[in-house]
Amino acid sequence: MRTVLRRIVGGGCLVALVGGIVIGTADPATADPGACFVDRGVTDAVALCHEGYGSSVLEVECLGISVPATPDAPIFAPYSGTDSAPAAVGQSMRASCITSSALGITTKAYVSPA
């Protein structure tokens, strides 16, 4: 009888410990944009999220000509464009591949939590 009681108590403690670990490692409540419409243009992109909460950022990846940081750096290469300012659900976002040191085309655009 004592062995059975110890196993039940030990099993209960194990369940509580594992439950605490799962809850403790869950991501904190952050932005969770949903139903986002992303329209990728030639040199920029715009986005609007219709669902979710918090704020999000539009990011673009580009391919183009940039001012090399060193003489042997590539002039034509992929680079990260300028991200949009953080925007709440229902506010539009715009990101661009035109910067003070680069000019290129948009190859990828996506929305991520701010």
Side-chain angles (χ1 to χ4, degrees), residues 2-44:
R2 282 188 148 203
T3 308
V4 173
L5 184 57
R6 268 199 276 187
R7 286 184 182 174
I8 291 172
V9 171
C13 290
L14 181 62
V15 169
L17 178 65
V18 170
I21 290 172
V22 169
I23 292 171
T25 58
D27 288 336
T30 58
D32 188 18
C36 297
F37 173 75
V38 178
D39 185 18
R40 190 181 77 205
V42 176
T43 61
D44 64 352

PDB file of all heavy atoms in Angstrom, residues 2-44:
ATOM      1  N   ARG A   2       1.958   1.251   0.793  1.00  0.00           N
ATOM      2  CA  ARG A   2       2.841   2.419   0.832  1.00  0.00           C
ATOM      3  C   ARG A   2       3.525   2.634  -0.518  1.00  0.00           C
ATOM      4  O   ARG A   2       3.727   3.768  -0.934  1.00  0.00           O
ATOM      5  CB  ARG A   2       3.917   2.242   1.910  1.00  0.00           C
ATOM      6  CG  ARG A   2       3.404   2.509   3.261  1.00  0.00           C
ATOM      7  CD  ARG A   2       4.538   2.515   4.223  1.00  0.00           C
ATOM      8  NE  ARG A   2       4.135   3.466   5.228  1.00  0.00           N
ATOM      9  CZ  ARG A   2       4.907   4.114   6.005  1.00  0.00           C
ATOM     10  NH1 ARG A   2       6.196   3.924   5.921  1.00  0.00           N
ATOM     11  NH2 ARG A   2       4.444   4.950   6.874  1.00  0.00           N
ATOM     12  N   THR A   3       3.896   1.562  -1.181  1.00  0.00           N
ATOM     13  CA  THR A   3       4.563   1.667  -2.469  1.00  0.00           C
ATOM     14  C   THR A   3       3.627   2.298  -3.500  1.00  0.00           C
ATOM     15  O   THR A   3       4.037   3.151  -4.285  1.00  0.00           O
ATOM     16  CB  THR A   3       5.014   0.273  -2.953  1.00  0.00           C
ATOM     17  OG1 THR A   3       5.765  -0.354  -1.937  1.00  0.00           O
ATOM     18  CG2 THR A   3       5.831   0.374  -4.208  1.00  0.00           C
ATOM     19  N   VAL A   4       2.373   1.884  -3.480  1.00  0.00           N
ATOM     20  CA  VAL A   4       1.399   2.442  -4.413  1.00  0.00           C
ATOM     21  C   VAL A   4       1.195   3.931  -4.130  1.00  0.00           C
ATOM     22  O   VAL A   4       1.147   4.755  -5.047  1.00  0.00           O
ATOM     23  CB  VAL A   4       0.052   1.664  -4.306  1.00  0.00           C
ATOM     24  CG1 VAL A   4      -1.017   2.354  -5.142  1.00  0.00           C
ATOM     25  CG2 VAL A   4       0.231   0.234  -4.748  1.00  0.00           C
ATOM     26  N   LEU A   5       1.096   4.295  -2.859  1.00  0.00           N
ATOM     27  CA  LEU A   5       0.917   5.691  -2.481  1.00  0.00           C
ATOM     28  C   LEU A   5       2.118   6.528  -2.898  1.00  0.00           C
ATOM     29  O   LEU A   5       1.970   7.640  -3.415  1.00  0.00           O
ATOM     30  CB  LEU A   5       0.679   5.796  -0.963  1.00  0.00           C
ATOM     31  CG  LEU A   5       0.372   7.186  -0.427  1.00  0.00           C
ATOM     32  CD1 LEU A   5      -0.847   7.767  -1.116  1.00  0.00           C
ATOM     33  CD2 LEU A   5       0.189   7.148   1.068  1.00  0.00           C
ATOM     34  N   ARG A   6       3.321   5.993  -2.718  1.00  0.00           N
ATOM     35  CA  ARG A   6       4.531   6.712  -3.130  1.00  0.00           C
ATOM     36  C   ARG A   6       4.572   6.914  -4.650  1.00  0.00           C
ATOM     37  O   ARG A   6       4.982   7.958  -5.131  1.00  0.00           O
ATOM     38  CB  ARG A   6       5.781   5.958  -2.689  1.00  0.00           C
ATOM     39  CG  ARG A   6       6.278   6.414  -1.349  1.00  0.00           C
ATOM     40  CD  ARG A   6       7.687   6.023  -1.154  1.00  0.00           C
ATOM     41  NE  ARG A   6       7.725   4.654  -0.664  1.00  0.00           N
ATOM     42  CZ  ARG A   6       8.815   4.041  -0.266  1.00  0.00           C
ATOM     43  NH1 ARG A   6       9.966   4.652  -0.338  1.00  0.00           N
ATOM     44  NH2 ARG A   6       8.772   2.811   0.159  1.00  0.00           N
ATOM     45  N   ARG A   7       4.159   5.898  -5.394  1.00  0.00           N
ATOM     46  CA  ARG A   7       4.149   6.016  -6.852  1.00  0.00           C
ATOM     47  C   ARG A   7       3.136   7.074  -7.310  1.00  0.00           C
ATOM     48  O   ARG A   7       3.400   7.828  -8.234  1.00  0.00           O
ATOM     49  CB  ARG A   7       3.829   4.668  -7.497  1.00  0.00           C
ATOM     50  CG  ARG A   7       4.976   3.722  -7.413  1.00  0.00           C
ATOM     51  CD  ARG A   7       4.685   2.452  -8.119  1.00  0.00           C
ATOM     52  NE  ARG A   7       5.809   1.525  -7.978  1.00  0.00           N
ATOM     53  CZ  ARG A   7       5.799   0.292  -8.390  1.00  0.00           C
ATOM     54  NH1 ARG A   7       4.725  -0.199  -8.971  1.00  0.00           N
ATOM     55  NH2 ARG A   7       6.852  -0.470  -8.224  1.00  0.00           N
ATOM     56  N   ILE A   8       1.981   7.105  -6.667  1.00  0.00           N
ATOM     57  CA  ILE A   8       0.961   8.097  -7.038  1.00  0.00           C
ATOM     58  C   ILE A   8       1.458   9.506  -6.737  1.00  0.00           C
ATOM     59  O   ILE A   8       1.352  10.408  -7.574  1.00  0.00           O
ATOM     60  CB  ILE A   8      -0.367   7.800  -6.306  1.00  0.00           C
ATOM     61  CG1 ILE A   8      -0.986   6.506  -6.845  1.00  0.00           C
ATOM     62  CG2 ILE A   8      -1.344   8.961  -6.483  1.00  0.00           C
ATOM     63  CD1 ILE A   8      -2.186   6.030  -6.070  1.00  0.00           C
ATOM     64  N   VAL A   9       2.034   9.687  -5.542  1.00  0.00           N
ATOM     65  CA  VAL A   9       2.551  11.003  -5.175  1.00  0.00           C
ATOM     66  C   VAL A   9       3.719  11.391  -6.078  1.00  0.00           C
ATOM     67  O   VAL A   9       3.807  12.523  -6.565  1.00  0.00           O
ATOM     68  CB  VAL A   9       2.964  11.028  -3.677  1.00  0.00           C
ATOM     69  CG1 VAL A   9       3.700  12.311  -3.347  1.00  0.00           C
ATOM     70  CG2 VAL A   9       1.741  10.867  -2.793  1.00  0.00           C
ATOM     71  N   GLY A  10       4.599  10.446  -6.337  1.00  0.00           N
ATOM     72  CA  GLY A  10       5.738  10.720  -7.227  1.00  0.00           C
ATOM     73  C   GLY A  10       5.285  11.055  -8.639  1.00  0.00           C
ATOM     74  O   GLY A  10       5.798  11.959  -9.278  1.00  0.00           O
ATOM     75  N   GLY A  11       4.280  10.339  -9.142  1.00  0.00           N
ATOM     76  CA  GLY A  11       3.734  10.623 -10.471  1.00  0.00           C
ATOM     77  C   GLY A  11       3.081  11.994 -10.521  1.00  0.00           C
ATOM     78  O   GLY A  11       3.222  12.735 -11.496  1.00  0.00           O
ATOM     79  N   GLY A  12       2.362  12.348  -9.454  1.00  0.00           N
ATOM     80  CA  GLY A  12       1.732  13.677  -9.383  1.00  0.00           C
ATOM     81  C   GLY A  12       2.769  14.783  -9.383  1.00  0.00           C
ATOM     82  O   GLY A  12       2.599  15.818 -10.039  1.00  0.00           O
ATOM     83  N   CYS A  13       3.852  14.586  -8.639  1.00  0.00           N
ATOM     84  CA  CYS A  13       4.933  15.582  -8.611  1.00  0.00           C
ATOM     85  C   CYS A  13       5.585  15.716  -9.992  1.00  0.00           C
ATOM     86  O   CYS A  13       5.908  16.823 -10.424  1.00  0.00           O
ATOM     87  CB  CYS A  13       5.981  15.205  -7.568  1.00  0.00           C
ATOM     88  SG  CYS A  13       5.400  15.391  -5.879  1.00  0.00           S
ATOM     89  N   LEU A  14       5.767  14.604 -10.683  1.00  0.00           N
ATOM     90  CA  LEU A  14       6.367  14.623 -12.010  1.00  0.00           C
ATOM     91  C   LEU A  14       5.480  15.389 -12.993  1.00  0.00           C
ATOM     92  O   LEU A  14       5.959  16.212 -13.778  1.00  0.00           O
ATOM     93  CB  LEU A  14       6.601  13.201 -12.512  1.00  0.00           C
ATOM     94  CG  LEU A  14       7.253  13.068 -13.891  1.00  0.00           C
ATOM     95  CD1 LEU A  14       8.646  13.692 -13.862  1.00  0.00           C
ATOM     96  CD2 LEU A  14       7.328  11.624 -14.302  1.00  0.00           C
ATOM     97  N   VAL A  15       4.180  15.141 -12.940  1.00  0.00           N
ATOM     98  CA  VAL A  15       3.246  15.851 -13.810  1.00  0.00           C
ATOM     99  C   VAL A  15       3.283  17.350 -13.525  1.00  0.00           C
ATOM    100  O   VAL A  15       3.307  18.179 -14.435  1.00  0.00           O
ATOM    101  CB  VAL A  15       1.815  15.285 -13.649  1.00  0.00           C
ATOM    102  CG1 VAL A  15       0.794  16.189 -14.343  1.00  0.00           C
ATOM    103  CG2 VAL A  15       1.732  13.880 -14.213  1.00  0.00           C
ATOM    104  N   ALA A  16       3.306  17.725 -12.248  1.00  0.00           N
ATOM    105  CA  ALA A  16       3.356  19.148 -11.880  1.00  0.00           C
ATOM    106  C   ALA A  16       4.655  19.785 -12.358  1.00  0.00           C
ATOM    107  O   ALA A  16       4.664  20.918 -12.850  1.00  0.00           O
ATOM    108  CB  ALA A  16       3.206  19.307 -10.373  1.00  0.00           C
ATOM    109  N   LEU A  17       5.763  19.076 -12.234  1.00  0.00           N
ATOM    110  CA  LEU A  17       7.061  19.596 -12.669  1.00  0.00           C
ATOM    111  C   LEU A  17       7.091  19.798 -14.180  1.00  0.00           C
ATOM    112  O   LEU A  17       7.494  20.857 -14.670  1.00  0.00           O
ATOM    113  CB  LEU A  17       8.179  18.645 -12.239  1.00  0.00           C
ATOM    114  CG  LEU A  17       9.592  19.034 -12.662  1.00  0.00           C
ATOM    115  CD1 LEU A  17       9.994  20.339 -11.974  1.00  0.00           C
ATOM    116  CD2 LEU A  17      10.563  17.940 -12.320  1.00  0.00           C
ATOM    117  N   VAL A  18       6.645  18.804 -14.932  1.00  0.00           N
ATOM    118  CA  VAL A  18       6.643  18.912 -16.392  1.00  0.00           C
ATOM    119  C   VAL A  18       5.694  20.021 -16.836  1.00  0.00           C
ATOM    120  O   VAL A  18       6.005  20.810 -17.720  1.00  0.00           O
ATOM    121  CB  VAL A  18       6.271  17.563 -17.041  1.00  0.00           C
ATOM    122  CG1 VAL A  18       6.024  17.723 -18.536  1.00  0.00           C
ATOM    123  CG2 VAL A  18       7.357  16.536 -16.783  1.00  0.00           C
ATOM    124  N   GLY A  19       4.537  20.123 -16.201  1.00  0.00           N
ATOM    125  CA  GLY A  19       3.594  21.195 -16.530  1.00  0.00           C
ATOM    126  C   GLY A  19       4.194  22.567 -16.278  1.00  0.00           C
ATOM    127  O   GLY A  19       4.011  23.501 -17.059  1.00  0.00           O
ATOM    128  N   GLY A  20       4.929  22.711 -15.188  1.00  0.00           N
ATOM    129  CA  GLY A  20       5.592  23.982 -14.886  1.00  0.00           C
ATOM    130  C   GLY A  20       6.662  24.319 -15.891  1.00  0.00           C
ATOM    131  O   GLY A  20       6.834  25.476 -16.280  1.00  0.00           O
ATOM    132  N   ILE A  21       7.388  23.326 -16.361  1.00  0.00           N
ATOM    133  CA  ILE A  21       8.436  23.563 -17.360  1.00  0.00           C
ATOM    134  C   ILE A  21       7.809  23.992 -18.680  1.00  0.00           C
ATOM    135  O   ILE A  21       8.270  24.926 -19.328  1.00  0.00           O
ATOM    136  CB  ILE A  21       9.308  22.299 -17.545  1.00  0.00           C
ATOM    137  CG1 ILE A  21      10.154  22.075 -16.288  1.00  0.00           C
ATOM    138  CG2 ILE A  21      10.189  22.424 -18.780  1.00  0.00           C
ATOM    139  CD1 ILE A  21      10.903  20.771 -16.279  1.00  0.00           C
ATOM    140  N   VAL A  22       6.733  23.334 -19.093  1.00  0.00           N
ATOM    141  CA  VAL A  22       6.078  23.690 -20.357  1.00  0.00           C
ATOM    142  C   VAL A  22       5.516  25.109 -20.280  1.00  0.00           C
ATOM    143  O   VAL A  22       5.688  25.903 -21.197  1.00  0.00           O
ATOM    144  CB  VAL A  22       4.962  22.667 -20.686  1.00  0.00           C
ATOM    145  CG1 VAL A  22       4.107  23.162 -21.836  1.00  0.00           C
ATOM    146  CG2 VAL A  22       5.568  21.319 -21.015  1.00  0.00           C
ATOM    147  N   ILE A  23       4.868  25.440 -19.183  1.00  0.00           N
ATOM    148  CA  ILE A  23       4.313  26.786 -19.039  1.00  0.00           C
ATOM    149  C   ILE A  23       5.430  27.807 -18.923  1.00  0.00           C
ATOM    150  O   ILE A  23       5.373  28.881 -19.494  1.00  0.00           O
ATOM    151  CB  ILE A  23       3.371  26.860 -17.813  1.00  0.00           C
ATOM    152  CG1 ILE A  23       2.122  26.026 -18.098  1.00  0.00           C
ATOM    153  CG2 ILE A  23       2.992  28.299 -17.502  1.00  0.00           C
ATOM    154  CD1 ILE A  23       1.231  25.834 -16.902  1.00  0.00           C
ATOM    155  N   GLY A  24       6.498  27.481 -18.217  1.00  0.00           N
ATOM    156  CA  GLY A  24       7.613  28.410 -18.026  1.00  0.00           C
ATOM    157  C   GLY A  24       8.377  28.701 -19.296  1.00  0.00           C
ATOM    158  O   GLY A  24       8.958  29.761 -19.447  1.00  0.00           O
ATOM    159  N   THR A  25       8.373  27.763 -20.252  1.00  0.00           N
ATOM    160  CA  THR A  25       9.116  27.990 -21.490  1.00  0.00           C
ATOM    161  C   THR A  25       8.238  28.538 -22.606  1.00  0.00           C
ATOM    162  O   THR A  25       8.715  28.775 -23.698  1.00  0.00           O
ATOM    163  CB  THR A  25       9.770  26.679 -21.979  1.00  0.00           C
ATOM    164  OG1 THR A  25       8.745  25.698 -22.168  1.00  0.00           O
ATOM    165  CG2 THR A  25      10.808  26.190 -20.993  1.00  0.00           C
ATOM    166  N   ALA A  26       6.966  28.754 -22.358  1.00  0.00           N
ATOM    167  CA  ALA A  26       6.086  29.318 -23.383  1.00  0.00           C
ATOM    168  C   ALA A  26       6.499  30.760 -23.667  1.00  0.00           C
ATOM    169  O   ALA A  26       6.966  31.475 -22.790  1.00  0.00           O
ATOM    170  CB  ALA A  26       4.641  29.265 -22.910  1.00  0.00           C
ATOM    171  N   ASP A  27       6.330  31.180 -24.915  1.00  0.00           N
ATOM    172  CA  ASP A  27       6.677  32.545 -25.293  1.00  0.00           C
ATOM    173  C   ASP A  27       5.772  33.537 -24.583  1.00  0.00           C
ATOM    174  O   ASP A  27       4.577  33.299 -24.437  1.00  0.00           O
ATOM    175  CB  ASP A  27       6.514  32.738 -26.800  1.00  0.00           C
ATOM    176  CG  ASP A  27       7.589  32.014 -27.584  1.00  0.00           C
ATOM    177  OD1 ASP A  27       8.662  31.781 -27.003  1.00  0.00           O
ATOM    178  OD2 ASP A  27       7.349  31.695 -28.754  1.00  0.00           O
ATOM    179  N   PRO A  28       6.326  34.665 -24.170  1.00  0.00           N
ATOM    180  CA  PRO A  28       5.478  35.689 -23.573  1.00  0.00           C
ATOM    181  C   PRO A  28       4.544  36.271 -24.625  1.00  0.00           C
ATOM    182  O   PRO A  28       4.809  36.178 -25.818  1.00  0.00           O
ATOM    183  CB  PRO A  28       6.464  36.736 -23.065  1.00  0.00           C
ATOM    184  CG  PRO A  28       7.689  36.528 -23.875  1.00  0.00           C
ATOM    185  CD  PRO A  28       7.725  35.060 -24.227  1.00  0.00           C
ATOM    186  N   ALA A  29       3.474  36.883 -24.206  1.00  0.00           N
ATOM    187  CA  ALA A  29       2.515  37.469 -25.138  1.00  0.00           C
ATOM    188  C   ALA A  29       3.180  38.616 -25.881  1.00  0.00           C
ATOM    189  O   ALA A  29       3.548  39.621 -25.302  1.00  0.00           O
ATOM    190  CB  ALA A  29       1.288  37.951 -24.386  1.00  0.00           C
ATOM    191  N   THR A  30       3.373  38.437 -27.162  1.00  0.00           N
ATOM    192  CA  THR A  30       3.960  39.476 -28.009  1.00  0.00           C
ATOM    193  C   THR A  30       3.013  39.714 -29.172  1.00  0.00           C
ATOM    194  O   THR A  30       1.908  39.186 -29.206  1.00  0.00           O
ATOM    195  CB  THR A  30       5.336  39.038 -28.551  1.00  0.00           C
ATOM    196  OG1 THR A  30       5.177  37.822 -29.280  1.00  0.00           O
ATOM    197  CG2 THR A  30       6.331  38.845 -27.428  1.00  0.00           C
ATOM    198  N   ALA A  31       3.469  40.469 -30.097  1.00  0.00           N
ATOM    199  CA  ALA A  31       2.638  40.752 -31.265  1.00  0.00           C
ATOM    200  C   ALA A  31       2.331  39.456 -31.998  1.00  0.00           C
ATOM    201  O   ALA A  31       3.175  38.586 -32.123  1.00  0.00           O
ATOM    202  CB  ALA A  31       3.377  41.712 -32.190  1.00  0.00           C
ATOM    203  N   ASP A  32       1.122  39.343 -32.456  1.00  0.00           N
ATOM    204  CA  ASP A  32       0.703  38.169 -33.204  1.00  0.00           C
ATOM    205  C   ASP A  32      -0.159  38.628 -34.369  1.00  0.00           C
ATOM    206  O   ASP A  32      -1.380  38.512 -34.314  1.00  0.00           O
ATOM    207  CB  ASP A  32      -0.055  37.212 -32.283  1.00  0.00           C
ATOM    208  CG  ASP A  32      -0.351  35.888 -32.951  1.00  0.00           C
ATOM    209  OD1 ASP A  32       0.307  35.579 -33.960  1.00  0.00           O
ATOM    210  OD2 ASP A  32      -1.250  35.182 -32.477  1.00  0.00           O
ATOM    211  N   PRO A  33       0.469  39.177 -35.413  1.00  0.00           N
ATOM    212  CA  PRO A  33      -0.314  39.668 -36.527  1.00  0.00           C
ATOM    213  C   PRO A  33      -0.953  38.517 -37.293  1.00  0.00           C
ATOM    214  O   PRO A  33      -0.408  37.421 -37.358  1.00  0.00           O
ATOM    215  CB  PRO A  33       0.711  40.409 -37.389  1.00  0.00           C
ATOM    216  CG  PRO A  33       2.001  39.756 -37.073  1.00  0.00           C
ATOM    217  CD  PRO A  33       1.896  39.339 -35.629  1.00  0.00           C
ATOM    218  N   GLY A  34      -2.112  38.776 -37.852  1.00  0.00           N
ATOM    219  CA  GLY A  34      -2.781  37.747 -38.635  1.00  0.00           C
ATOM    220  C   GLY A  34      -3.501  38.370 -39.810  1.00  0.00           C
ATOM    221  O   GLY A  34      -3.775  39.566 -39.837  1.00  0.00           O
ATOM    222  N   ALA A  35      -3.836  37.543 -40.792  1.00  0.00           N
ATOM    223  CA  ALA A  35      -4.536  37.980 -41.996  1.00  0.00           C
ATOM    224  C   ALA A  35      -3.845  39.195 -42.605  1.00  0.00           C
ATOM    225  O   ALA A  35      -4.459  40.225 -42.842  1.00  0.00           O
ATOM    226  CB  ALA A  35      -6.005  38.269 -41.695  1.00  0.00           C
ATOM    227  N   CYS A  36      -2.547  39.059 -42.835  1.00  0.00           N
ATOM    228  CA  CYS A  36      -1.773  40.172 -43.392  1.00  0.00           C
ATOM    229  C   CYS A  36      -1.748  40.083 -44.917  1.00  0.00           C
ATOM    230  O   CYS A  36      -1.504  39.022 -45.484  1.00  0.00           O
ATOM    231  CB  CYS A  36      -0.350  40.156 -42.861  1.00  0.00           C
ATOM    232  SG  CYS A  36      -0.237  40.379 -41.091  1.00  0.00           S
ATOM    233  N   PHE A  37      -1.973  41.196 -45.561  1.00  0.00           N
ATOM    234  CA  PHE A  37      -1.874  41.316 -47.003  1.00  0.00           C
ATOM    235  C   PHE A  37      -0.564  42.018 -47.314  1.00  0.00           C
ATOM    236  O   PHE A  37      -0.336  43.125 -46.839  1.00  0.00           O
ATOM    237  CB  PHE A  37      -3.053  42.124 -47.560  1.00  0.00           C
ATOM    238  CG  PHE A  37      -2.928  42.418 -49.019  1.00  0.00           C
ATOM    239  CD1 PHE A  37      -3.159  41.438 -49.962  1.00  0.00           C
ATOM    240  CD2 PHE A  37      -2.548  43.676 -49.450  1.00  0.00           C
ATOM    241  CE1 PHE A  37      -3.029  41.707 -51.309  1.00  0.00           C
ATOM    242  CE2 PHE A  37      -2.412  43.953 -50.802  1.00  0.00           C
ATOM    243  CZ  PHE A  37      -2.658  42.965 -51.730  1.00  0.00           C
ATOM    244  N   VAL A  38       0.312  41.363 -48.067  1.00  0.00           N
ATOM    245  CA  VAL A  38       1.608  41.948 -48.439  1.00  0.00           C
ATOM    246  C   VAL A  38       1.626  42.121 -49.953  1.00  0.00           C
ATOM    247  O   VAL A  38       1.376  41.174 -50.697  1.00  0.00           O
ATOM    248  CB  VAL A  38       2.782  41.054 -47.995  1.00  0.00           C
ATOM    249  CG1 VAL A  38       4.110  41.650 -48.430  1.00  0.00           C
ATOM    250  CG2 VAL A  38       2.757  40.846 -46.489  1.00  0.00           C
ATOM    251  N   ASP A  39       1.904  43.323 -50.412  1.00  0.00           N
ATOM    252  CA  ASP A  39       1.995  43.626 -51.836  1.00  0.00           C
ATOM    253  C   ASP A  39       3.431  44.045 -52.130  1.00  0.00           C
ATOM    254  O   ASP A  39       3.876  45.109 -51.699  1.00  0.00           O
ATOM    255  CB  ASP A  39       1.016  44.738 -52.204  1.00  0.00           C
ATOM    256  CG  ASP A  39       0.988  45.008 -53.703  1.00  0.00           C
ATOM    257  OD1 ASP A  39       1.442  44.148 -54.480  1.00  0.00           O
ATOM    258  OD2 ASP A  39       0.503  46.091 -54.085  1.00  0.00           O
ATOM    259  N   ARG A  40       4.142  43.188 -52.842  1.00  0.00           N
ATOM    260  CA  ARG A  40       5.543  43.457 -53.162  1.00  0.00           C
ATOM    261  C   ARG A  40       5.630  44.195 -54.484  1.00  0.00           C
ATOM    262  O   ARG A  40       5.156  43.727 -55.512  1.00  0.00           O
ATOM    263  CB  ARG A  40       6.305  42.129 -53.236  1.00  0.00           C
ATOM    264  CG  ARG A  40       7.797  42.314 -53.312  1.00  0.00           C
ATOM    265  CD  ARG A  40       8.490  40.985 -53.398  1.00  0.00           C
ATOM    266  NE  ARG A  40       8.348  40.496 -54.758  1.00  0.00           N
ATOM    267  CZ  ARG A  40       8.399  39.222 -55.097  1.00  0.00           C
ATOM    268  NH1 ARG A  40       8.560  38.300 -54.193  1.00  0.00           N
ATOM    269  NH2 ARG A  40       8.283  38.862 -56.353  1.00  0.00           N
ATOM    270  N   GLY A  41       6.231  45.384 -54.443  1.00  0.00           N
ATOM    271  CA  GLY A  41       6.456  46.162 -55.654  1.00  0.00           C
ATOM    272  C   GLY A  41       7.841  45.877 -56.208  1.00  0.00           C
ATOM    273  O   GLY A  41       8.521  44.945 -55.785  1.00  0.00           O
ATOM    274  N   VAL A  42       8.284  46.703 -57.118  1.00  0.00           N
ATOM    275  CA  VAL A  42       9.601  46.511 -57.727  1.00  0.00           C
ATOM    276  C   VAL A  42      10.709  46.873 -56.738  1.00  0.00           C
ATOM    277  O   VAL A  42      11.646  46.098 -56.533  1.00  0.00           O
ATOM    278  CB  VAL A  42       9.741  47.343 -59.019  1.00  0.00           C
ATOM    279  CG1 VAL A  42      11.144  47.219 -59.595  1.00  0.00           C
ATOM    280  CG2 VAL A  42       8.715  46.890 -60.041  1.00  0.00           C
ATOM    281  N   THR A  43      10.611  48.037 -56.102  1.00  0.00           N
ATOM    282  CA  THR A  43      11.666  48.476 -55.182  1.00  0.00           C
ATOM    283  C   THR A  43      11.193  48.608 -53.735  1.00  0.00           C
ATOM    284  O   THR A  43      11.947  49.053 -52.881  1.00  0.00           O
ATOM    285  CB  THR A  43      12.245  49.842 -55.621  1.00  0.00           C
ATOM    286  OG1 THR A  43      11.194  50.803 -55.607  1.00  0.00           O
ATOM    287  CG2 THR A  43      12.887  49.750 -56.984  1.00  0.00           C
ATOM    288  N   ASP A  44       9.934  48.257 -53.461  1.00  0.00           N
ATOM    289  CA  ASP A  44       9.419  48.380 -52.101  1.00  0.00           C
ATOM    290  C   ASP A  44       8.300  47.374 -51.874  1.00  0.00           C
ATOM    291  O   ASP A  44       7.986  46.579 -52.757  1.00  0.00           O
ATOM    292  CB  ASP A  44       8.934  49.801 -51.823  1.00  0.00           C
ATOM    293  CG  ASP A  44       7.754  50.189 -52.691  1.00  0.00           C
ATOM    294  OD1 ASP A  44       7.385  49.423 -53.618  1.00  0.00           O
ATOM    295  OD2 ASP A  44       7.174  51.251 -52.452  1.00  0.00           O
TER     296      ASP A  44
END
